[in-house]
Amino acid sequence: MALIELREVQRVYELGDHPVYALRKVSLDIDRGEFVALIGPSGSGKSTLMNTLGCLDRPSSGSYRLDGEEIATMSRDERAKIRNRQLGFVFQNFNLLNRTSAVENVELPLLYRRGLSSKERRGIAVEMLRKVGLGDRLYHHSSQLSGGQQQRVAIARALATSPSILMGDEPTGNLDSKTSREVIALFRELNEQQGITVILVTHDPTVAKNANRMIVLRDGSVVADTSDFQVAMRELHQEPAE
Amino acid sequence: MTIWDTFRVAIRALRKNKMRAGLTVLGVVIGIAAVTTMVSIGQSASALVQNQFMALGTNVIVVFPESQQRGGVRQSLTVTLTAADSREIANQCDAVLASTPLVGAQGQLIYGNTNWNANELSGVGADYLLVRNWAMAAGDFFTEDDIKSGAKVCVIGHTVVTKLFQTANPIDQVIRVKNVPFRVVGVLEKKGVDMVGNDRDNIVLMPYTTVRKRLQGSSFDNVNAILVSAVSPTRMNEATKQIDQLLFERHRIEPGKSKDFRVQDTTEIAQTFGIVTGVLTLMLSAIAGISLLVGGVGIMNIMLVSVTERTKEIGIRMAIGASGRDILNQFLVEAIVLSLIGGAIGVTLGTTASVGATLLINYFNPGQDWPIVISVQAAVIALLFAGGVGVFFGYYPARRASRMDPIEALRYE
Ligand SMILES: Nc1ncnc2c1ncn2[C@@H]1O[C@H](COP(=O)(O)OP(=O)(O)O)[C@@H](O)[C@H]1O
Ligand SMILES: [Mg+2]
């Protein structure tokens, strides 16, 4: 059984009288420990797929099993619980709470989990920040951190609940190429040394190159699913037949 | 999320925007302060009225003569109430503690070349002090012998002392009323003003027999009123009934005929005043309640703004695992904390204000002694009310926050 099993997943937005198909019958499996890049042109449905995988969104139809559990029929609160237990999220614009210290940001997901004292939460948060190389920036607020550092705080926050999957929607989109490389290196390290499954949305080939597997989307459909970077790039740049 | 954690998150959120939190709190402060002040001033007013009646002697019953219908003709000049009636009331009614006749008089008081008008110039019996629950400050009250002999003696109140004698010792001095010399035998204890502002210490009391003979020149035994005190306030009704019964028999009132006397007890008046002050309290509370409502709407308003402004934060919290309930609780607790802080400050302010108001009233109305009422019960109720306002007006914004879609919330800038 794969960690992630999507079967004929559709996501339709009803806008006025004509529906918008953000995802059309997507089926795919992702195993534990994989490093997957979701690529595709703008509007191809990458974010929609990511939100679905991240249990933030629910498919209009089809089935999504995460670790054997059906997500498509879950309630909001059940999905919130799954997000807290199993998933770690990193966003393009970091999404840290402002006017809040790094360590408090990292503690945040632990607040929504029972049975941890504030001391234990602080201990975990400090450990995670050390892991991402910010052991000396514990009490800095996000406004006092560079973009790369903010994204590291966000990664530390995503790791705080020891999730099995780490997800990022264009996590390097707001970073310069050097910090982008450092952040991707961190993802690789987590994937290789701790076996965390990593799924990233990116439009940057140099980021995609780091993945072991590339899934190319176009118009809401998977048009390529390959471990060959060249094949993926060819598919990505192929203009749709007119 | 535990309640304690929710509380800490709420406090942290409020501290991030102190100015706004302060302004929101202000609305509740005003509302709760108004409630507390109004209610305690209302309570003071009621307490004042009650105290006044206590001082008057809530257990005092007054018997008045009543002109009687005889054969359709109103005969107003008949002797109806007598000192003998007073004596029999005291002797025969077991719910009665003491009784005194009261004969009114008028006239200027003259001492040396000073003159003065007393509010009350009355002839009374030896048991007067017992009936009115009054005491002497100096000297003695006149005795039964003085009454029998119609002695020209008097007992005076505190105001009369200051007006006629200034600092001199009044005892054994002689004051003249309508050219009749009265020797001062005692000074009454100070009593202050009554609730309509009359000075109860501007009084001169003499044996009723002397007043009748010397000041009224009347040979009848009639009196203007009989003051009776019951054994205890709880036996007022019983005493009233016994007096009524006794006089009914003594005056040989035929069944069906109207009585030639009227028994009035003061609890009735006290109750009427109680209703008036009750209505007053209710009205003040209503005004205060409206200001509290305004404070509550203020909280709702600010919480709605806050929820919209913090949409992104809500999205972040949801993305990392906050349930709808967690978000609801967070905002609800924020609203409750705001209103409880407002409530606590409001109660403190309101109590201070009402104590201040009371002190001012007493300062400008010396002798009135408006009582200071600090009601712990009212404070607790006001705080509960504040919490209730927080829950009531915080719920809608909090629910709105909890129902947000995480994806859309995250996209909010
Ligand atoms: N909330 C929405 N309402 C309507 N249409 C949407 C919504 N979100 C996304 N879409 C549409 O779905 C398609 C896929 O969007 P998205 O997943 O954001 O693409 P990508 O992330 O690959 O750029 C686009 O056509 C977009 O306009
Ligand atoms: Mg996108």
Side-chain angles (χ1 to χ4, degrees):
Chain A
M1 184 185 68
L3 179 60
I4 288 173
E5 294 179 351
L6 287 189
R7 293 293 173 270
E8 311 236 305
V9 164
Q10 291 215 73
R11 183 67 174 94
V12 189
Y13 292 107
E14 301 290 347
L15 282 181
D17 18 87
H18 57 96
V20 176
Y21 287 85
L23 290 177
R24 304 168 196 262
K25 307 233 171 195
V26 172
S27 298
L28 55 85
D29 287 2
I30 295 174
D31 279 317
R32 230 170 267 277
E34 281 198 83
F35 192 134
V36 181
L38 296 179
I39 53 180
S42 177
S44 57
K46 305 182 295 294
S47 292
T48 307
L49 179 56
M50 196 56 150
N51 290 338
T52 307
L53 291 174
C55 302
L56 285 166
D57 200 2
R58 206 157 58 159
S60 308
S61 67
S63 147
Y64 169 25
R65 284 174 169 279
L66 174 66
D67 209 6
E69 274 188 285
E70 182 56 72
I71 306 294
T73 53
M74 273 188 181
S75 70
R76 279 166 62 94
D77 282 357
E78 284 170 325
R79 279 185 284 129
K81 209 171 195 169
I82 296 279
R83 289 198 292 274
N84 189 251
R85 300 290 149 87
Q86 308 246 41
L87 308 175
F89 255 107
V90 182
F91 304 90
Q92 178 173 359
N93 50 4
F94 323 131
N95 279 343
L96 299 178
L97 293 189
N98 51 16
R99 286 195 269 176
T100 304
S101 68
V103 76
E104 282 175 317
N105 263 294
V106 178
E107 280 176 1
L108 210 56
L110 299 170
L111 267 180
Y112 298 108
R113 162 173 294 200
R114 284 196 179 282
L116 285 173
S117 71
S118 58
K119 218 170 162 183
E120 289 168 312
R121 289 197 296 256
R122 184 52 57 103
I124 294 171
V126 170
E127 188 195 327
M128 292 304 148
L129 282 168
R130 291 222 174 95
K131 207 183 230 173
V132 299
L134 286 176
D136 55 345
R137 297 278 193 283
L138 299 178
Y139 302 103
H140 285 55
H141 287 194
S142 25
S143 57
Q144 299 163 328
L145 296 170
S146 72
Q149 287 171 330
Q150 287 187 55
Q151 197 59 301
R152 281 167 193 271
V153 175
I155 292 170
R157 181 180 67 189
L159 292 174
T161 55
S162 353
S164 48
I165 309 174
L166 195 54
M167 299 180 166
D169 192 344
E170 312 244 15
T172 60
N174 282 5
L175 302 177
D176 60 54
S177 54
K178 182 168 168 282
T179 39
S180 164
R181 271 199 301 280
E182 285 167 9
V183 166
I184 290 302
L186 184 57
F187 276 113
R188 280 203 74 107
E189 188 188 315
L190 292 166
N191 174 251
E192 282 163 10
Q193 292 177 10
Q194 297 184 35
I196 296 175
T197 311
V198 176
I199 308 172
L200 300 181
V201 166
T202 185
H203 61 267
D204 182 353
T206 57
V207 171
K209 216 178 197 168
N210 286 279
N212 310 118
R213 176 180 169 190
M214 280 138 280
I215 296 172
V216 185
L217 286 172
R218 182 176 295 129
D219 287 335
S221 301
V222 176
V223 292
D225 187 346
T226 172
S227 55
D228 187 332
F229 180 65
Q230 300 306 329
V231 173
M233 285 303 118
R234 208 177 312 122
E235 276 302 327
L236 180 62
H237 293 116
Q238 193 146 51
E239 289 304 314
E242 196 77 41
Chain B
M1 211 161 157
T2 63
I3 274 296
W4 178 234
D5 285 332
T6 310
F7 181 74
R8 289 210 303 196
V9 168
I11 295 286
R12 220 176 289 168
L14 293 176
R15 278 172 47 181
K16 273 191 211 165
N17 213 329
K18 293 199 189 81
M19 181 72 176
R20 173 192 290 173
L23 288 174
T24 315
V25 161
L26 200 61
V28 183
V29 168
I30 293 167
I32 293 289
V35 171
T36 321
T37 315
M38 301 289 176
V39 169
S40 44
I41 286 181
Q43 280 181 341
S44 302
S46 318
L48 176 70
V49 170
Q50 259 148 35
N51 283 2
Q52 298 271 352
F53 274 98
M54 277 306 202
L56 183 90
T58 30
N59 53 344
V60 170
I61 299 160
V62 188
V63 186
F64 293 107
E66 189 86 88
S67 56
Q68 202 184 15
Q69 304 273 118
R70 268 210 194 116
V73 184
R74 196 169 264 268
Q75 309 200 341
S76 53
L77 285 169
T78 47
V79 177
T80 57
L81 225 46
T82 64
D85 284 331
S86 173
R87 235 179 347 264
E88 289 312 310
I89 287 170
N91 289 343
Q92 295 191 23
C93 304
D94 62 0
V96 165
L97 177 70
S99 170
T100 173
L102 190 102
V103 179
Q106 234 128 51
Q108 209 168 41
L109 312 175
I110 300 168
Y111 171 71
N113 49 11
T114 322
N115 35 19
W116 178 248
N117 282 310
N119 274 349
E120 188 181 345
L121 196 62
S122 300
V124 297
D127 280 342
Y128 182 85
L129 289 186
L130 197 55
V131 173
R132 293 292 306 272
N133 190 25
W134 209 336
M136 301 303 291
D140 295 301
F141 203 75
F142 41 80
T143 61
E144 204 62 59
D145 287 342
D146 292 327
I147 289 167
K148 278 209 186 90
S149 64
K152 290 176 270 183
V153 292
C154 70
V155 164
I156 59 181
H158 190 264
T159 307
V160 178
V161 175
T162 52
K163 293 298 175 186
L164 287 185
F165 301 97
Q166 284 88 38
T167 52
N169 182 8
I171 304 289
D172 284 337
Q173 299 297 319
V174 173
I175 53 182
R176 307 181 80 84
V177 181
K178 288 187 172 165
N179 246 345
V180 182
F182 286 91
R183 188 168 56 87
V184 177
V185 293
V187 176
L188 291 162
E189 219 172 46
K190 198 175 153 122
K191 229 177 186 179
V193 292
D194 67 13
M195 73 203 105
V196 261
N198 289 326
D199 182 2
R200 287 177 294 186
D201 296 315
N202 194 3
I203 184 172
V204 177
L205 299 171
M206 300 133 170
Y208 70 95
T209 46
T210 318
V211 170
R212 203 155 49 203
K213 226 183 304 174
R214 306 281 171 180
L215 298 180
Q216 292 186 332
S218 156
S219 53
F220 291 115
D221 188 29
N222 63 323
V223 297
N224 296 118
I226 297 173
L227 299 185
V228 186
S229 66
V231 177
S232 72
T234 52
R235 296 186 68 185
M236 289 280 286
N237 281 341
E238 204 182 329
T240 307
K241 272 194 202 109
Q242 288 175 355
I243 295 164
D244 199 64
Q245 181 67 29
L246 178 74
L247 294 181
F248 199 80
E249 283 163 17
R250 277 178 60 82
H251 293 191
R252 302 186 215 292
I253 312 285
E254 289 164 37
K257 286 279 159 66
S258 67
K259 290 181 268 188
D260 61 356
F261 62 91
R262 180 163 53 92
V263 183
Q264 183 187 40
D265 84 43
T266 47
T267 48
E268 249 172 69
I269 309 171
Q271 273 163 4
T272 311
F273 269 90
I275 291 166
V276 170
T277 53
V279 169
L280 185 79
T281 304
L282 205 70
M283 250 173 57
L284 292 176
S285 309
I287 295 167
I290 289 169
S291 50
L292 196 58
L293 192 76
V294 172
V297 171
I299 285 202
M300 175 135 90
N301 195 5
I302 296 289
M303 289 310 292
L304 279 174
V305 170
S306 176
V307 164
T308 308
E309 211 172 65
R310 284 154 67 190
T311 299
K312 184 125 196 174
E313 175 194 329
I314 295 165
I316 293 170
R317 288 180 184 275
M318 284 180 162
I320 60 175
S323 65
R325 176 103 253 166
D326 289 327
I327 300 293
L328 181 96
N329 287 345
Q330 182 189 335
F331 282 92
L332 202 53
V333 168
E334 266 183 45
I336 295 170
V337 166
L338 277 180
S339 48
L340 282 183
I341 291 173
I345 299 175
V347 166
T348 316
L349 267 182
T351 309
T352 316
S354 52
V355 169
T358 311
L359 291 178
L360 273 181
I361 290 171
N362 288 342
Y363 180 76
F364 288 111
N365 275 326
Q368 180 103 31
D369 276 338
W370 191 284
I372 294 176
V373 178
I374 294 179
S375 165
V376 176
Q377 195 192 349
V380 170
I381 289 174
L383 272 183
L384 285 179
F385 222 83
V389 164
V391 173
F392 187 80
F393 291 101
Y395 185 76
Y396 174 70
R399 201 185 64 151
R400 197 153 148 178
S402 74
R403 298 229 170 146
M404 279 183 181
D405 176 54
I407 298 170
E408 271 167 34
L410 279 171
R411 221 178 273 153
Y412 185 88
E413 285 303 333

